[in-house]
Amino acid sequence: MTLRVLVVGATQGIGRELAAEYAGRGDQVTITGRSAERAGAEAERLTADTGGSVSCLGLDLSRPETMADALRDVGQVDRLAIAGMVRDSNTVASFAVPAAVTLATTKVVGYAAVVAALHDRFAPGAAVLLFGGMAKDRPYPGSTVLSTVNAAMVGLVRTLSVELAPVRVNSIHPGAVVDSPAWVDKRALLEPLRQLSLTGELPTMQDIVDGCLSLLENSSANGVNLTLDAGRA
């Protein structure tokens, strides 16, 4: 069966790799980006790279009031993954309210608004995946808001899995991903994290994509908040 897959926030990183995986399988994939132009260019590259069918649309999670209009042309959805985010560096001692509001709006309200806009278009057997991160459990300097919104994904999974039943809803929480755009230039930070890993390794984007596929495709995975960081003592 050909799946209709929507990946929100797929112009780079893990979201893009997940979209590529589904496109390569022959599924009908739609990707989004804050810039419709960038999303369009990435959709063309994904189509060329995978030989699949990839379309695009512009969607800005930091403006949740626009979600219904942005998604108006999307038909039935079998798989929804929401990976888009913005990054900030915020501490209680030096708290930038505008940046905090943007991140919280994007990650919590924006994610919920996407699901709300599509709630009556989920096909039988549909699954939703929300992206969080390990800052929820292991805060670091500057992660005050990021830790908070990643932890919010756990609550969002719980309520959405009940509200949308029988649609399945899960979240994935990667640690440092060695080849992701967010980490690839931070080798000095990666080595200490590698030493803390119980396997002596850190996840790759393909490792995280494999985890995403497990949550999206396993019909018994529901209400799961999956950590993928190779283990920590």
Side-chain angles (χ1 to χ4, degrees), residues 3-85:
L3 297 174
R4 294 151 297 187
V5 180
L6 174 61
V7 185
V8 176
T11 57
Q12 64 175 347
I14 298 166
R16 184 194 187 280
E17 296 306 305
L18 180 60
E21 183 73 28
Y22 276 112
R25 295 178 175 204
D27 295 313
Q28 296 176 2
V29 178
T30 300
I31 66 169
T32 83
R34 285 192 293 272
S35 162
E37 292 76 15
R38 182 178 178 187
E42 202 55 56
E44 289 182 4
R45 281 190 286 269
L46 281 167
T47 298
D49 290 347
T50 66
S53 172
V54 183
S55 59
C56 69
L57 54 88
L59 183 152
D60 186 351
L61 288 167
S62 70
R63 300 177 61 206
E65 70 280 1
T66 68
M67 291 303 100
D69 187 56
L71 295 165
R72 67 185 181 280
D73 294 329
V74 174
Q76 274 203 314
V77 175
D78 296 295
R79 303 289 184 266
L80 169 64
I82 312 180
M85 67 171 296

Side-chain angles (χ1 to χ4, degrees), residues 117-169:
L118 297 171
H119 78 277
D120 58 353
R121 282 174 269 176
F122 289 121
V128 176
L129 179 64
L130 311 178
F131 274 67
M134 285 312 299
K136 73 179 178 64
D137 294 322
R138 291 194 282 273
Y140 54 84
S143 77
T144 300
V145 183
L146 184 60
S147 293
T148 302
V149 298
N150 283 347
M153 294 301 101
V154 176
L156 195 54
V157 163
R158 179 59 183 149
T159 188
L160 291 179
S161 63
V162 172
E163 289 190 69
L164 295 176
V167 173
R168 296 182 296 107
V169 184

Side-chain angles (χ1 to χ4, degrees), residues 92-107:
V92 171
S94 179
F95 197 72
V97 171
V101 169
T102 298
L103 176 52
T105 301
T106 296
K107 193 80 172 180

